[in-house]
Amino acid sequence: MLTPVEPPPGRAAPTTMPEPTGHRPPWWRGIGGHVVLAVAGLASAFPVYWMYATSVKPSEDVLDRRLVPASVTLDNYAHVLASLPFGSMLVGTFLMAAAVAAGTVLTSVLAAYALARWDFPAKRLIMLLIVCTWLVPVQATMLPNYVLISQLGLLETLTAVVLPQLVTAVAVLLLFQHVSAFPRELFDAATMDGRSPFGTLVSVLLPNIRPAIAAVTILAFIGAWNEYFWPTMVLRRSDDLIQVGIRSFLTSEGNDWGALMAASGLACLPVFALYFALQRQVVDAFVRSGLR
């Protein structure tokens, strides 16, 4: 039997805030943390810089270890655009990532809403199982997923790429925290107004957790866009997704590193644009949820 979650006990009245004393900490306090963050940021950004730096090197300098290319050329980009149907690959990859993001938001919203709104038998066990799935490496589930997809006859289809990625524990836990922190009084008011649980979800809850939904959407989209191993397992054709197309530059005769980096750089541009357009929603949702 489902019973609504009882509202949390009232909090004590806030104490009076101490008056500022006007004392400011010295400027050098905390500089060590900023140095560590700067080093971590540079270490994270360096592979991206090296990818684009390699992509503009001539073929004879592609293994050159100098930080700044001695000469710059766009021949690798021209070779990629001439060798691959990059436009159709972008469209196919975008549709795949959008389907994964939409499915992830749908399943995680429904799961988080049910787990946070009602008490029912085995609720804690279900939460524990969800957390346990987060701890299982993806590589450990790939073989069972491949066998299941093969038995369903979905190999060589985009459905095979999308289906195993529709539910993620991170998305469920992220939205569960937001729904749990939502004021219970608004749920009670919606019930008194005669709204159904689904109507309360659509008209009351979803408009108030849009930053969290935006964060889940972006993270799911980027995760699906960057996924390489699973699409190359279930797809053999090279003109469906960018991930599969990039593989064509890795051959037994030798690897075309310049073209590989150029194709990877082109594939990253839509993700960079999406993140820079919606980064405020992502940062806001992570700060509120405490998942950092």
Side-chain angles (χ1 to χ4, degrees), residues 177-200:
Q177 294 189 40
H178 283 269
V179 179
S180 299
F182 194 74
R184 302 296 159 191
E185 293 80 4
L186 295 181
F187 286 145
D188 297 337
T191 303
M192 294 177 66
D193 287 342
R195 299 180 187 233
S196 64
F198 185 76
T200 303

Side-chain angles (χ1 to χ4, degrees), residues 110-281:
L110 295 178
Y113 182 55
L115 291 171
R117 179 76 192 280
W118 292 281
D119 287 326
F120 50 87
K123 175 180 175 179
R124 291 183 178 273
L125 177 61
I126 294 175
M127 285 295 299
L128 179 62
L129 292 176
I130 292 175
V131 174
C132 289
T133 60
W134 192 10
L135 304 177
V136 177
V138 177
Q139 292 78 8
T141 61
M142 278 192 172
L143 183 57
N145 287 337
Y146 183 85
V147 174
L148 178 60
I149 291 296
S150 177
Q151 292 176 347
L152 293 175
L154 297 177
L155 290 178
E156 301 296 338
T157 64
L158 290 181
T159 305
V161 181
V162 173
L163 196 58
Q165 305 183 68
L166 291 182
V167 182
T168 61
V170 177
V172 174
L173 296 177
L174 180 66
L175 291 181
F176 174 77
Q177 294 189 40
H178 283 269
V179 179
S180 299
F182 194 74
R184 302 296 159 191
E185 293 80 4
L186 295 181
F187 286 145
D188 297 337
T191 303
M192 294 177 66
D193 287 342
R195 299 180 187 233
S196 64
F198 185 76
T200 303
L201 169 66
V202 174
S203 60
V204 178
L205 180 62
L206 293 184
N208 289 281
I209 60 171
R210 283 180 295 181
I213 294 177
V216 171
T217 304
I218 294 171
L219 293 177
F221 185 91
I222 295 175
W225 189 283
N226 292 334
E227 180 63 33
Y228 173 76
F229 193 55
W230 177 250
T232 57
M233 281 186 64
V234 297
L235 295 179
R236 299 297 180 187
R237 292 172 294 181
S238 61
D239 57 349
D240 290 329
L241 300 177
I242 291 178
Q243 299 91 324
V244 184
I246 291 176
R247 186 182 55 184
S248 63
F249 297 109
L250 301 173
T251 63
S252 57
E253 290 80 14
N255 302 326
D256 191 347
W257 293 111
L260 182 67
M261 295 300 172
S264 301
L266 291 174
C268 291
L269 293 180
V271 179
F272 290 157
L274 179 67
Y275 180 78
F276 284 120
L278 302 175
Q279 60 177 325
R280 177 174 296 181
Q281 286 82 354

